[in-house]
């Protein structure tokens, strides 16, 4: 069925893009975000299809046989043999870092644990040293580079956290760098306790007083790492309540290594999301299912740290709203690819490709407070990934494959594989 195409010539100056002869166009069907339960599995598939874009928004989508006669300037893209899905939304990344942790990766391969490395002043604190040493201009260049790498894997919208500055200037420079690259900034002021601060409570007080007022001008959300060796539930509550009062949405890194009470805290405070959940048991699953908190799963981090995978199937079956993200960062998930996340979701979390699609498009956009994208539907922002296969499920099926042929971001071809 063709929807929304008027047969007339666009007014002079309108910019139109037609992707034609696509083997499939596939989009989450449900219009209410976040999608839950059976609605998460519900997708529309149109075969032998076209997508028409006008001035950065979808103008029409339908079968080739219903393509209206178009006059005026129309840029055409040949979709023969390709399938199209909405632009992917990565709702959890840490792209504003300098240096790398290849050495720690090797140490972990030899048996060292993530917690031991952090307790010894490595881990997040090692990246903090490198990031403080980089200037604001270098951070801008770094985040733009990572954004471009994500784009080649189909990501058209990304969230980016601070949390590797843990001082006033570097935290704000990270947020600025994410914003300058077109990302959605999250203030992860409570990621770890920096070495110059005596303890977690003193640091939280300092960050609320000295960083939050300016961070809240740039960021849309605040985040905290609730874990042994970082912040406990009481400290997280104090930090998040102050951030909420400053107008920020709330997110939590919770139940990554241990269940510390982060799920009840997220529900109590009405957080937008709780992210990780590798350690969440059946009670946490039931509590999330009965709430509006989105369960963001990051299977690359579980894989990297050799942790149990989060209970994706149980969360969906219980009725929880879920999203999937890369957690791109130099320590626990050095991976920009949401297609890789799909493969892990379908092989390790028990999700169907349809559920991976909804979890990394419309539901991930909901986590970021964006309701103008995530589906291929008339009027929404025209973000589109052209998959190099006539069956869109190759995104999950072809493990680490080069599945992305090209990417349309806000109506323009932003990436075309060489
Ligand atoms: O989501 N868990 C805390 N933060 C990141 C890792 C950050 C790092 O190791 O540099 C995560 O896994
Ligand atoms: Fe993270």
């Amino acid at each position: 069925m063709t929807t929304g195409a008027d047969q007339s010539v666009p007014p002079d100056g309108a910019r139109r893009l037609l992707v034609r002869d696509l083997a499939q166009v596939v989009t989450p069907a449900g219009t209410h975000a976040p999608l839950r339960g059976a609605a998460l599995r519900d997708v529309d598939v149109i075969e032998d299809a076209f997508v028409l874009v006008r001035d950065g928004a979808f103008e029409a989508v339908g079968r080739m046989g219903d393509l209206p006669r178009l006059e005026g300037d129309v840029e055409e893209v040949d979709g023969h043999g390709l399938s199209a899905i909405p632009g992917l939304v990565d709702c959890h990344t840490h792209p504003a870092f300098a240096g790398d942790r290849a050495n720690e990766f090797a140490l972990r391969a030899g048996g060292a644990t993530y917690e031991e490395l952090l307790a010894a002043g490595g881990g997040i604190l090692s990246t903090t040293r490198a990031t403080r040493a980089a200037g604001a201009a270098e951070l801008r260049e770094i985040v733009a580079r990572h954004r471009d790498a994500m784009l080649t894997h189909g990501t058209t919208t990304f969230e980016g956290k601070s949390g590797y500055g843990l001082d006033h200037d570097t935290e704000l420079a990270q947020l600025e760098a994410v914003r300058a690259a077109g990302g959605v900034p999250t203030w992860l002021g409570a990621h770890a306790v920096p070495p110059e601060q005596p303890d977690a409570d003193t640091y939280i007080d300092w960050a609320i007083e000295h960083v939050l007022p300016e961070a809240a001008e740039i960021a849309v959300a605040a985040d905290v790492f609730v874990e042994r060796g970082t912040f406990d539930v009481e400290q997280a509550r104090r930090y998040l309540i102050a951030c909420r009062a400053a107008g920020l949405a709330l997110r939590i890194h919770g139940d990554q290594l241990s269940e510390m009470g982060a799920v009840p805290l997220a529900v109590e405070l009405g957080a937008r999301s709780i992210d990780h959940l590798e350690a969440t048991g059946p009670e946490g699953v039931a509590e999330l299912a009965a709430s509006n908190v989105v369960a963001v799963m990051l299977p690359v981090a579980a894989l990297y740290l050799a942790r149990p995978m989060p209970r994706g199937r149980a969360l969906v079956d219980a009725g929880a709203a879920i999203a999937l993200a890369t957690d791109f960062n130099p320590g626990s998930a050095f991976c920009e690819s949401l297609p890789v996340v799909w493969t892990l979701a379908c092989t390790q979390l028990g999700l169907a490709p349809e559920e991976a699609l909804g979890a990394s498009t419309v539901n991930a956009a909901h986590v970021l407070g964006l309701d103008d994208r995530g589906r291929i539907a008339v009027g929404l922002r025209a973000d589109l990934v052209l998959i190099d296969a006539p069956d869109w499920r190759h995104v999950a099926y072809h493990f680490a494959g080069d599945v992305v042929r090209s990417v349309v971001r806000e109506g323009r071809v932003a990436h075309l594989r060489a």
Side-chain angles (χ1 to χ4, degrees):
M1 186 186 65
T2 304
T3 49
D6 70 42
Q7 311 280 319
S8 61
V9 180
D12 280 350
R15 196 168 46 76
R16 271 175 150 177
L17 175 75
L18 172 68
V19 188
R20 57 179 303 146
D21 295 305
L22 285 156
Q24 292 179 331
V25 172
V26 182
T27 181
T31 54
H32 293 290
L35 300 168
R36 295 171 185 261
L40 182 63
R41 219 180 174 121
D42 195 9
V43 299
D44 286 335
V45 180
I46 307 174
E47 298 193 330
D48 188 21
F50 74 91
V51 178
L52 182 62
V53 172
R54 174 168 167 167
D55 286 340
F58 292 118
E59 183 180 11
V61 52
R63 291 184 60 85
M64 279 305 292
D66 297 324
L67 179 64
R69 196 169 59 83
L70 300 170
E71 293 179 31
D73 265 358
V74 183
E75 181 186 348
E76 288 203 6
V77 173
D78 179 10
H80 267 107
L82 310 180
S83 50
I85 60 172
L88 299 175
V89 177
D90 198 342
C91 67
H92 182 138
T93 88
H94 306 248
F97 65 86
D100 68 65
R101 305 238 288 277
N103 193 46
E104 289 187 6
F105 180 81
L107 290 173
R108 277 208 312 279
T113 70
Y114 186 77
E115 281 171 298
E116 284 164 4
L117 292 166
L118 177 61
I124 295 166
L125 296 175
S126 123
T127 298
T128 298
R129 285 189 289 279
T131 304
R132 285 178 175 182
E138 189 181 340
L139 283 174
R140 276 199 300 277
E141 185 274 322
I142 287 167
V143 176
R145 183 154 44 82
H146 295 319
R147 173 206 57 205
D148 291 347
M150 292 184 216
L151 181 73
T152 66
H153 297 282
T155 296
T156 49
T157 299
F158 75 101
E159 178 255 22
K161 302 175 194 296
S162 66
Y164 292 127
L166 309 174
D167 64 16
H168 173 272
D169 290 359
T170 318
E171 283 296 307
L172 294 174
Q174 288 185 275
L175 294 174
E176 281 289 6
V178 171
R179 180 166 71 177
V184 179
T186 295
W187 183 45
L188 179 50
H191 198 192
V193 182
E196 70 277 9
Q197 297 277 354
D199 55 53
D201 282 302
T202 312
Y203 172 64
I204 292 271
D205 289 342
W206 175 86
I208 289 171
E209 185 180 344
H210 295 284
V211 188
L212 172 58
E214 287 162 86
E217 299 287 312
I218 308 169
V220 303
D223 200 344
V224 50
F225 185 16
V226 177
E227 192 50 74
R228 295 185 297 243
T230 55
F231 301 95
D232 66 24
V233 162
E234 284 312 314
Q235 290 154 349
R237 180 185 285 110
R238 199 148 51 80
Y239 168 80
L240 291 172
I241 287 176
C243 291
R244 187 172 60 186
L248 295 173
L250 306 184
R251 306 188 56 183
I252 299 178
H253 277 71
D255 290 3
Q256 180 178 13
L257 307 171
S258 55
E259 270 191 303
M260 298 259 303
V263 168
L265 181 68
V267 174
E268 170 196 324
L269 296 180
R272 192 67 76 61
S273 75
I274 180 163
D275 306 42
H276 274 294
L277 304 169
E278 290 92 314
T280 306
E283 281 167 27
V285 169
E287 203 170 348
L288 284 171
S291 80
N292 288 322
V293 180
V294 179
V296 179
M297 291 179 282
L298 312 164
V300 174
L303 183 77
Y304 241 64
L305 300 188
R307 308 292 305 174
M309 287 286 163
R311 299 171 188 239
R313 185 72 260 145
L315 282 160
V316 174
D317 288 344
I322 65 148
L324 290 164
T326 61
D327 197 18
F328 174 67
N329 76 76
S332 66
F334 195 42
C335 171
E336 301 93 341
S337 169
L338 278 168
V340 164
V341 171
W342 280 36
T343 304
L344 294 175
C346 294
T347 59
Q348 310 299 309
L349 305 187
L351 301 185
E354 290 80 0
E355 293 167 328
L357 175 70
S360 56
T361 54
V362 66
N363 281 12
H366 170 81
V367 169
L368 302 182
L370 300 170
D371 59 7
D372 66 339
R373 66 196 74 177
R375 291 182 296 119
I376 301 172
V378 173
L380 292 189
R381 191 173 112 139
D383 294 336
L384 202 63
V385 186
L386 300 190
I387 304 303
D388 204 357
D391 183 328
W392 68 284
R393 294 172 299 185
H394 279 241
V395 176
Y397 164 55
H398 194 166
F399 184 29
D402 196 4
V403 290
V404 174
R405 169 70 71 88
S406 63
V407 183
V408 174
R409 186 174 53 198
E410 219 175 349
R412 291 177 191 271
V413 178
H415 168 68
L416 188 57
R417 194 175 71 202

